Amino acid sequence: MSRHRRAAGTACIVAAALAVGGCGSDPRPSAAHTSAASEDVTGVQSAPAAAESGSAAEHAETTTGDDTSIEDHLAAAGVDDALVNQLGEIGDANNYGLGEGVETGIEDRRGLATVQVTTCRNVAVGYRTWEGIRYSDEADGATEDQAAAMADFLRTEFCPHVAPLKEAPLPEQTLGGPSEDDLGGRGLASPLTWWDGRYPRISWSKACAAQTGMPIGDPVAYRLAKDEVVCATVPPAASLKEHLISVDVVFSSPVGEDRAQEAALALLPSDASATEPTEGTNPDWSYMGGGCLNINFRTATMEGLMDGLGKDAEPWASALYYSDGATEDGAVGDYTGKVKQISLSTGADEPGASGELTC
């Protein structure tokens, strides 16, 4: 795939998203490009330790930001330095740090803790399972014993202290805004101010979390129709200027492909045209069997929308269709021709080196 946007789940606004045996439940980016633009992380990236296979550090892109953001994030989650150090000791002992025999410092440990806060919240809302987390960590290089030790510590010692995400109050809105933003966008890659003038915000709540995963940044959700909502995360990177470059459309019950394509096109510039769909399957490391359908959309307007946002400007957008849902471990179940969730993102999805498109 050309891009794995599931963001280190979505992951890591963290500075030290450590490369680990599995970066402890590394919010591994799947081809399901998250609602979240956590592709841009805050802080400094730590040196990777072990395997190069899909660690959190590998997928974290470094930007500058407020040095206190990680501490603020952990404080809001109820995680103090004592707990951070306990997690760090478990991480060091099981190769979730800077390398075998290397003791991590407090900043590295805070980075790992930030990743694991998301892990805990994902399990709490049913988005991920401990089984899937262990499999993911093993796929990233952890041994079975190392992955089990980390998962057991998270489940019994760390996660019980993690507070649920506290969502910000919904803003007051005056609806009735234009159908297109100033540059011709109709949703994807449009600024948050356009969304707020166009669609009513709703509580992001557990419904979005269970379907799309917990956000690292600020979550937003909009009602597009009675049975259709958008779940997204406001990108933390200043260069993206609060433009939603990746969103998830979630239906209350699965719909047909025609309705799904209408929903995708409604959030793309008016010049968007669909290419031939491509079927995808879960990656080899996933413990789940599952599949998805990808459709790329050619749109010259999208290139102009992305120009100046600090990301690659391409005349493409893409949609991954899931019949049940998408997790960090791949699609939940086979693709059936019905669509429960659409992961819509800028850029085109292409098959990987193996020639297979991955969900």
Side-chain angles (χ1 to χ4, degrees), residues 177-191 194-195 198-199 222 224 228 230 243-244 247 249 261-273 297-299 301-302 305 344:
S179 60
E180 294 186 353
D181 66 31
D182 291 342
L183 297 178
R186 300 196 299 179
L188 188 66
S190 292
W194 178 87
W195 282 87
R198 181 72 180 166
Y199 297 110
Y222 295 92
L224 275 57
E228 179 187 351
V230 155
H243 285 60
L244 300 185
V247 303
V249 180
Q261 185 148 312
E262 288 177 5
L265 285 169
L267 297 176
L268 296 175
S270 58
D271 66 345
S273 59
F297 297 88
R298 177 176 285 280
T299 160
T301 303
M302 185 60 68
L305 291 172
L344 190 63

Side-chain angles (χ1 to χ4, degrees), residues 5-355:
R5 286 213 164 118
R6 203 169 237 329
T10 17
C12 304
I13 70 176
V14 331
L18 303 178
V20 304
C23 195
S25 351
D26 128 298
R28 164 194 291 276
S30 77
H33 12 127
T34 329
S35 33
S38 57
E39 342 178 304
D40 295 88
V41 297
T42 302
V44 206
Q45 203 174 302
S46 290
E52 298 178 358
S53 58
S55 66
E58 176 185 357
H59 302 294
E61 299 174 14
T62 304
T63 64
T64 57
D66 183 352
D67 292 339
T68 65
S69 60
I70 290 180
E71 294 178 55
D72 292 344
H73 179 76
L74 292 174
V79 176
D80 60 20
D81 280 352
L83 189 57
V84 166
N85 281 319
Q86 289 179 50
L87 174 67
E89 290 169 4
I90 294 295
D92 290 351
N94 290 281
N95 202 25
Y96 281 69
L98 298 175
E100 189 172 353
V102 180
E103 183 176 343
T104 52
I106 187 63
E107 294 305 322
D108 294 325
R109 291 178 174 187
R110 285 175 181 153
L112 180 59
T114 301
V115 173
Q116 302 298 24
V117 164
T118 302
T119 298
C120 297
R121 288 172 171 170
N122 278 332
V123 172
V125 297
Y127 176 71
R128 297 200 74 191
T129 66
W130 291 118
E131 180 185 20
I133 288 163
R134 291 196 301 272
Y135 270 90
S136 178
D137 285 2
E138 289 174 33
D140 278 342
T143 67
E144 184 176 345
D145 288 344
Q146 288 169 343
M150 177 58 78
D152 287 346
F153 178 80
L154 292 173
R155 180 176 54 83
T156 61
E157 302 294 335
F158 187 82
C159 292
H161 295 279
V162 174
L165 178 73
K166 185 176 181 181
E167 188 178 0
L170 297 178
E172 292 185 8
Q173 292 177 265
T174 302
L175 301 176
S179 60
E180 294 186 353
D181 66 31
D182 291 342
L183 297 178
R186 300 196 299 179
L188 188 66
S190 292
L192 203 63
T193 50
W194 178 87
W195 282 87
D196 282 340
R198 181 72 180 166
Y199 297 110
R201 271 214 214 182
I202 59 173
S203 175
W204 192 79
S205 75
K206 287 187 177 180
C208 279
Q211 192 72 35
T212 68
M214 297 296 290
I216 289 285
D218 296 328
V220 290
Y222 295 92
R223 182 165 298 284
L224 275 57
K226 185 177 180 180
D227 65 340
E228 179 187 351
V229 299
V230 155
C231 308
T233 301
V234 181
S239 63
L240 293 176
K241 304 172 185 176
E242 294 193 337
H243 285 60
L244 300 185
I245 64 168
S246 183
V247 303
D248 286 280
V249 180
V250 179
F251 300 98
S252 57
S253 58
V255 301
E257 287 183 0
D258 287 347
R259 169 71 192 282
Q261 185 148 312
E262 288 177 5
L265 285 169
L267 297 176
L268 296 175
S270 58
D271 66 345
S273 59
T275 63
E276 287 296 314
T278 304
E279 293 185 2
T281 59
N282 284 349
D284 292 341
W285 55 261
S286 176
Y287 76 106
M288 301 189 301
C292 60
L293 187 75
N294 179 76
I295 299 179
N296 290 328
F297 297 88
R298 177 176 285 280
T299 160
T301 303
M302 185 60 68
E303 187 170 16
L305 291 172
M306 292 302 294
D307 189 34
L309 292 183
K311 306 299 287 183
D312 293 337
E314 302 174 0
W316 292 97
S318 60
L320 283 168
Y321 293 175
Y322 297 91
S323 293
D324 191 328
T327 76
E328 304 299 340
D329 304 307
V332 180
D334 294 330
Y335 180 71
T336 65
K338 295 290 186 179
V339 183
K340 169 72 174 176
Q341 177 180 340
I342 304 170
S343 288
L344 190 63
S345 187
T346 59
D349 274 336
E350 302 293 346
S354 66

